[in-house]
Every structure is written in C-alpha cells, then in structure tokens.
Amino acid sequence: MLAAAGRRVGGRLLAAIPAVFGVVVLTFLVMRVLPGDPAVYFAGGPSAGQAEIDALRAEMGLDRPVPVQLMYYLRDVATGDLGRSLTTGQPVMTDIRQRLPASLELTFTALLLALVAAIPLGILAALRPGSAVDHVVRFLCTMGVCMPTFVTGLLLIYVFYYLLGWSPDPTGRIDIFASTPPEITGFLLLDFALTGDWDGWRAAFTQLILPAATMALFVLAPLARMTRASMLAVLGGDFIRTARAMGLPGWRIIVVYALRNALLPVLTIAGIVFSTMLGANVLVEKVFSWPGVASYALDALQASDYAPVQGFVLLMASIFVVVNLVIDLLYGLADPRAVAE
Amino acid sequence: MSAALGRPSLLRHAGWVLRGNLVTAFALGGTALLVLVALLAPWLAAYDPIATNVANAMRPPSAAHWFGTDQLGRDILSRLLYGARLDLAIAAAAVSLSFVLGAMIGAFCGYHGGRLDRAVGRFVDVLMAFPLFVLAMAMVAALGNQVQNIVYATAVINLPFYIRFARTEVAVRRQAGWVEAARASGNGGARIVLGFLLPNILPNVAVQISLNLGWAILNAAGLSFLGLGVTAPTPEWGIMVAEGARFISAGHWWLVAFPGLALMLAVLCFNLLGDGLRDILDPRMRT
C-alpha cells in the first residue's frame, strides 16, 4: 500500500519534469528578449563608461551566446542556485525564502476563509435547489468573480480602514513600530502563537484579514459552485435514500455521507485555485504593500532584473506541481476508490 | 415574401428565448449598452477626458460632475465613457486573436492527432503550468509599454484554453458520420476542418468567447493597474483605479469606486451572457 503510494508519487514527479523544464526554458528566453540592458542599468545609466559596462556584462555572463547562457543557468538551477538579485544584492534563493512565508500565509488564510464560506454556502444551495438561498449563493458567486481583486481590496480598505476604523493602516504584514516575533516558521501568526505573544498575534491578524478576504472573495465562486454541483449529484444517490430510510439524522447524512463523497471535485478545484492565487497575488500584494514573492517579482521585472523573475516563475511552477501531487494524495485519503486503478 | 416573414419571426424567436431567460436578456442589454457607450463616447461625454483643471480637483459627485473629479480635476464620468472604448477594444481584439489562432490550431490538432498533436499538447501544458498573469506581465515588459502589447499578452494567455477546447470538441466529432461522408466525397483535411468542423463547434466556442471576454477585461485592467501597457493621461479603467488608489485611505472613494463598478459591470454582463448562451445551447450544463 505504502510502496504503491510511493511509486505513484514518484511517477507523478517524473511526469512533471518536462513541464517544469519547459517553464524554465521559456522563462529564460522571455527574460532574454526583455528590453533594457541590465548591465547598463547597474553601471549607473547610459553615462557610465563603455569599459565599465563591458566588465559588468562579462561578470554577469551576458557576453556569451544565449544557448551557452541557458546551459549555465540550467546547471545553476540544478544545484539550487537561482542567481543573485541585482536590486537587493542578495541571492534570489535567500530573498525568496524571506518573502515566501508572507505570500503563503496570505494565500493559505485566503483559501481557508474561502473554503469556510464556500462549503456551507454550496451545501445550503444544494439542499434547496431553486430556493431563495440558492439564488443568493448564485448571486454572491457571480459578483465575486466579476470584482477585480484590486478594486475589492481598495473598497475594503475604504470601508474598514477609513469609514469604520476597524483595520490598521493597510500597508505591510505588521505595523512598522510593532516588534516582530523571533523567526521560527516565518508565518507571523504561527510565530506569535508559538511565543505566546497574543497582542502581536492580533496585530498581525488584523493586517492579514483584509488582503485575505479580498483574495477569498475572488475565489469563492468556483469553490461554492463546485460544492453545490457535486453535492447535488451525490444527494441524488441511492445510498443517501437508504440512509434516509434507515432514519439517520439529517445532519449526519449530509456531513458524513454526502459531503465526504462530494468533496473530491472540490479538492481538485481548491488545488487549482491555490496555484492561481499564488500567481494572481501580484495585484493584492501591490494594493496592500504586502512583502511577498509576487511583489518581489514585479519590482524586479520593472528594474529588468532577470534572476528574481526567473526564480519566481520556477517557484510557481514547482508549487503548481507539488500542489497537484498533494491533491492527488488527498484524493486517496478522501476516497480510496480513486487510487485503486 | 419569405424574407419579409422570416425576419420578424426570427426576432420573435429571439424575444421568446430571452423572455424565458431574464438574466440573459439583462446581460444582452448591458452588453449592447456598453458597446453603444463606447461608440458614442465623444458625444456622450460632457467634458474633455484629459483636460486638467486643478482648481476643481477631488470634488465628490455633484450635479455638474455626476461621478466627481479626480486629483487633476478631470471629470470621472467622461473618462469612464472614453475608457469603455479602450477596455472593450483591448478585450475584443485579444479574444478574437486567441480565438482565431487557438481554434485553428486546436481543430487541426484534434483532427490529425499524432506527433504534432502531442507536441502542441505538451506546449499547452507548459503554458498552463505558468502563472499566467505573471507571463502576461513579463510579455508586456518584454514587448514594450504599449496598448497593443496588452492585447498580445492577453491573447497568448487565453490561447491554451482555446486550443484545448477546440481540440476536444473536434476530436469527439472526428469519427462522426458526416465527417466520414465529407471525407468519402473527396474533401481534404484542411477543407474538412475549416469548412465542416469549425462551423460545427462554433456555437460551443461562442460561449467560451463570452466567458473569456470578461476574463480578458480583468486581465487588461490588472496589467494597466500595475502600470504596464497603458500610460498616464489615457482614460482607461485599470489605470483610473491605480491613480485613485493613492487617495482611498483619505476617503476619496469615487476615484476608485466608479471605474471599479464599470469593470465589474462589463465582466458581469459578459459572464452572464456566456452562462445564458450555454444554457440555451445545452440545458444540461446548467449549474
């Protein structure tokens, strides 16, 4: 059983290699046609001496043919070296490690919020199809998809910061004057909880909740719709009718029998949603000045700094693969039939 | 005679369909309104969309300026009306580009299969594994900060969906009797794909187009919100939100709310239209 699971994971990882490889090569090529010579940029503008620029180009390896550069890049990536960011002066790996927890914390919180809202809404809608509840859920979903995340975020700031004054200044993960917790996991909420600093936890939480809610609203629709559709299909099943006939309590039928069977497609969608959110975070991170990886990549892109953008895209592709794998494994937990091929 | 009778009955049929789908009727009306506004912007707008008037800056909505004025005293309503032109044009151009290319590539792959099909399939997988919005950002940065590059970038990130969609739709019809018949009567591959298969899958693709238009608008607005593609004085919804974002913490909501509302309305209309079309074409797909 365990060996079979291991083989499956290995097989999936092997199958993912061509896609990740393709992403790396494609990113590399796209970055190479970017206008603006980074050597000129970092030599201090066009006024810098030609010799200085040439020296920088040689140092950065930009004077070699593109295929050679690609080979060097692949070798570096294979050894875990993503290059050095020219704007921050640090290795990209270090930068990403510092900033990834912020993005992950935001995305996980948003996904959690969305699931907590979407699953009950989807169930309610499925229990009474065509009722007022169903229509309200449908309306909410339709609206959620149509609101651009950057507008939702700004309107939430207006209501909760300006009008109600419930939220703190919507910039960054934590108030600049507040003390940061000792870094254990990099997830502020976890770190504050681990050190027992509940005032700090509350401060970090109030900063996090608006951007997370913004993301959650945007992905509510696919999750709720899928829950509804899959619950509807399951509730029509014979075993539900049997459970009803046996006199089981209604909540038990819904939560234990129906929901567990209906969860598979929801899991798949949740995986897709998670990967999409990590990429689409750029806009939310920009609105809330969130120090995550997406805003890091955006800043690097605007400075024609190749390495961070390549590192970011590679990171996204890897996360995409890992998330798909995790979903696959969760599938097996939720429904053992899905694994027994 | 028959033409004279045919026209009203067609209209009557459309009216009958729409009466049963009030939401779709609303979406159709909204879309028509948007297109009309975009076309008539120069006649509808009361003010010049880029004329600044600093003395009159940051005024909340009033009788003279229904949607208020921005930080440079420009009339927001006028800018919104002109912005509709650009936003709709970008979305329409991007979607038609990716539709034409994607449907052709997908249809040929689905019809011929084989090695080319597998290669294209792999390429589509790679594109889909990308964070698509980031790909669009990188493309606009690579090609230069111009409006047409937003169109190309949006078209490219929509492409994989059309290729996949057209490929599956054609693959399931490849062995259909009427395709066999077309082949038996001597039609070549290109003729079968272009003349028979593409028109046949067109209704299903139309649904996809409508759903995609909304997504394309969101994408284009997102790019210009980040400062990519559209430059400052141009009236465009995304950049209007970006400019207003600086003043939201000070309570100047109208700078963001109205362009945001316009974006939402446009996406809403296209999405509802797509849902409605799908319901009409295939009632089983209703969710």
Side-chain angles (χ1 to χ4, degrees), chain A:
Chain A
M1 178 67 195
L2 215 61
R7 241 196 331 273
R8 250 159 44 83
V9 172
R12 292 297 294 252
L13 280 180
L14 276 180
I17 286 178
V20 173
F21 181 78
V23 167
V24 173
V25 172
L26 203 60
T27 320
F28 180 85
L29 294 177
V30 169
M31 288 300 115
R32 281 305 173 273
V33 297
L34 279 180
D37 189 337
V40 175
Y41 183 86
F42 288 100
S47 58
Q50 191 58 41
E52 196 184 340
I53 293 174
D54 286 342
L56 258 174
R57 287 180 65 86
E59 189 198 316
M60 291 157 73
L62 291 172
D63 55 344
R64 303 210 190 89
V66 169
V68 178
Q69 289 184 36
L70 177 62
M71 293 317 293
Y72 279 120
Y73 180 66
L74 289 177
R75 192 197 59 198
D76 288 346
V77 166
T79 56
D81 177 8
L82 295 178
R84 188 174 278 275
S85 161
L86 298 167
T87 25
T88 64
Q90 294 198 75
V92 171
M93 206 59 159
T94 315
D95 278 341
I96 284 184
R97 204 172 292 146
Q98 275 171 5
R99 284 167 157 261
L100 185 60
S103 288
L104 284 181
E105 188 172 44
L106 173 59
T107 312
F108 274 126
T109 314
L111 187 62
L112 193 73
L113 275 180
L115 282 174
V116 164
I119 292 182
L121 284 178
I123 294 177
L124 281 177
L127 288 179
R128 305 249 181 287
S131 70
V133 179
D134 191 14
H135 285 302
V136 167
V137 170
R138 199 175 172 162
F139 177 76
L140 270 180
C141 290
T142 316
M143 285 300 156
V145 184
C146 296
M147 284 296 269
T149 43
F150 49 97
V151 176
T152 323
L154 290 168
L155 293 182
L156 285 179
I157 290 176
Y158 176 70
V159 173
F160 289 99
Y161 172 69
Y162 178 78
L163 281 186
L164 300 172
W166 292 354
S167 316
D169 186 25
T171 43
R173 292 176 83 186
I174 193 157
D175 193 77
I176 36 169
F177 300 114
S179 59
T180 48
E183 191 164 322
I184 307 168
T185 57
F187 289 77
L188 283 183
L189 290 186
L190 281 182
D191 288 352
F192 275 127
L194 286 174
T195 51
D197 181 356
W198 295 108
D199 286 334
W201 192 89
R202 198 168 306 121
F205 180 74
T206 46
Q207 292 278 22
L208 177 62
I209 195 74
L210 280 195
T214 306
M215 284 309 282
L217 275 175
F218 189 61
V219 296
L220 187 68
L223 294 171
R225 279 190 178 173
M226 191 43 91
T227 310
R228 178 185 178 276
S230 119
M231 273 302 270
L232 264 182
V234 169
L235 283 173
D238 286 342
F239 66 101
I240 296 294
R241 197 185 48 197
T242 310
R244 288 233 165 84
M246 306 268 283
L248 286 176
W251 65 268
R252 209 190 144 102
I253 296 175
I254 290 157
V255 176
V256 180
Y257 288 76
L259 186 60
R260 188 167 169 199
N261 278 288
L263 226 44
L264 278 188
V266 181
L267 266 181
T268 316
I269 295 287
I272 298 173
V273 158
F274 184 82
S275 322
T276 325
M277 272 158 99
L278 271 176
N281 260 351
V282 183
L283 294 166
V284 177
E285 286 186 6
K286 169 110 174 149
V287 169
F288 290 93
S289 314
W290 197 256
V293 277
S295 56
Y296 172 62
L298 179 65
D299 292 343
L301 191 66
Q302 280 165 347
S304 46
D305 186 0
Y306 301 152
V309 185
Q310 284 167 347
F312 171 72
V313 174
L314 180 61
L315 176 78
M316 288 299 132
S318 323
I319 287 178
F320 187 79
V321 170
V322 171
V323 166
N324 278 335
L325 200 67
V326 170
I327 293 297
D328 216 43
L329 293 177
L330 285 180
Y331 241 74
L333 279 182
D335 186 352
R337 284 172 306 179
V339 196
E341 292 132 304

Side-chain angles (χ1 to χ4, degrees), chain B residues 42-63:
Chain B
W43 292 277
L44 291 174
Y47 299 87
D48 183 343
I50 51 174
T52 59
N53 177 8
V54 185
N56 202 19
M58 293 292 207
R59 293 288 156 82
S62 63

